[in-house]
Amino acid sequence: MFKYSLVTVLMACSSIAWSNENPTDILDYDYIYASAGSGSLNEDAAANANASVYALGVSYMMNDNWLLMGDYTARFIHPDDTTTRIDTLMGGIGYRYNLMQDFDFIASYNLGITKAKVELNTNNIAVSSDTELIHGGKVALNYGFAESWIASGSIQVNRSDLIDEEIYQTSLRYLVTSRFAIGGFYAHRDGNTQRTNELGINFLLEY
């Protein structure tokens, strides 16, 4: 239900008055970030804690519209008998369109590498380990309001021989200072054979 409502919001907002060229005040895309979260495998986010995710990333604004970005994520899925670790490193290019003041639409394409390793919990013996190329696209809306708050929603689609997944995420962060923000996020990952629901915190430092 969540992902379909998010799709509707993104499609509706992306059609707003594209001719509006007001500059942004709160939104900045020169930053580094870190996040950590935990969640549930094939259940609601608070049902159990058998999935976790950690991420580091960077964004660089080349000019008023074009961005360079990169991120690394480490995911751990640990049901009863095994632990699956998925490491993904991706870099890409994005385009920012300013819909109105403090309201941006971002579209990006990313390319990288992903590794999935499955181990037995009893003795840490590897059952399988594979590494493949991965690529994906992402669209996002970022909205700054009340001088210090930024709300975001995004849809990301990743494809590889190891992982086909769609990631639907919403987040809210607060600017503690003009350069540092802290916030929280909810993410729903819909994969080939499983889904995860994650809740977490993130930290963002502008440079």
Side-chain angles (χ1 to χ4, degrees):
M1 181 67 180
F2 167 79
K3 64 182 181 180
Y4 297 116
S5 61
L6 181 56
V7 171
T8 303
V9 171
L10 288 172
M11 291 179 65
C13 291
S14 64
S15 63
I16 298 174
W18 292 89
S19 60
N20 193 318
E21 296 294 340
N22 291 329
T24 60
D25 293 328
I26 298 178
L27 304 178
D28 193 317
Y29 298 97
D30 290 323
Y31 61 79
I32 57 176
Y33 78 89
S35 66
S38 64
S40 303
L41 176 65
N42 297 324
E43 296 185 59
D44 293 336
N48 55 56
N50 53 17
S52 53
V53 58
Y54 306 93
L56 294 171
V58 62
S59 172
Y60 171 68
M61 197 82 182
M62 294 186 290
N63 55 37
D64 289 341
N65 298 105
W66 291 99
L67 303 90
L68 290 177
M69 54 193 65
D71 60 71
Y72 164 76
T73 60
R75 294 176 58 211
F76 299 86
I77 303 171
H78 34 86
D80 295 333
D81 300 321
T82 62
T83 295
T84 301
R85 173 171 177 167
I86 304 171
D87 294 277
T88 304
L89 179 65
M90 301 182 76
I93 189 168
Y95 184 82
R96 178 191 74 95
Y97 197 98
N98 178 222
L99 299 171
M100 61 181 64
Q101 187 170 1
D102 290 326
F103 191 20
D104 288 348
F105 172 80
I106 307 288
S108 60
Y109 174 79
N110 299 279
L111 178 67
I113 192 168
T114 186
K115 178 180 180 180
K117 184 178 182 179
V118 181
E119 291 184 346
L120 296 174
N121 291 338
T122 54
N123 51 23
N124 295 326
I125 293 178
V127 177
S128 64
S129 181
D130 295 286
T131 303
E132 297 288 347
L133 293 175
I134 186 172
H135 68 102
K138 181 178 181 178
V139 292
L141 289 172
N142 299 318
Y143 177 60
F145 62 97
E147 297 184 354
S148 298
W149 292 91
I150 298 173
S152 300
S154 66
I155 300 174
Q156 183 171 349
V157 178
N158 292 332
R159 293 292 181 263
S160 76
D161 289 341
L162 286 180
I163 301 169
D164 288 341
E165 65 177 0
E166 292 82 43
I167 307 168
Y168 306 86
Q169 180 167 308
T170 59
S171 66
L172 180 67
R173 65 180 185 265
Y174 175 73
L175 292 168
V176 180
T177 71
S178 60
R179 295 290 184 180
F180 177 70
I182 184 171
F185 70 88
Y186 165 77
H188 173 85
R189 296 175 185 263
D190 198 349
N192 310 51
T193 59
Q194 60 188 23
R195 60 182 175 85
T196 59
N197 292 288
E198 303 156 2
L199 294 171
I201 59 173
N202 50 39
F203 304 91
L204 186 145
L205 179 64
E206 298 175 1
Y207 60 86

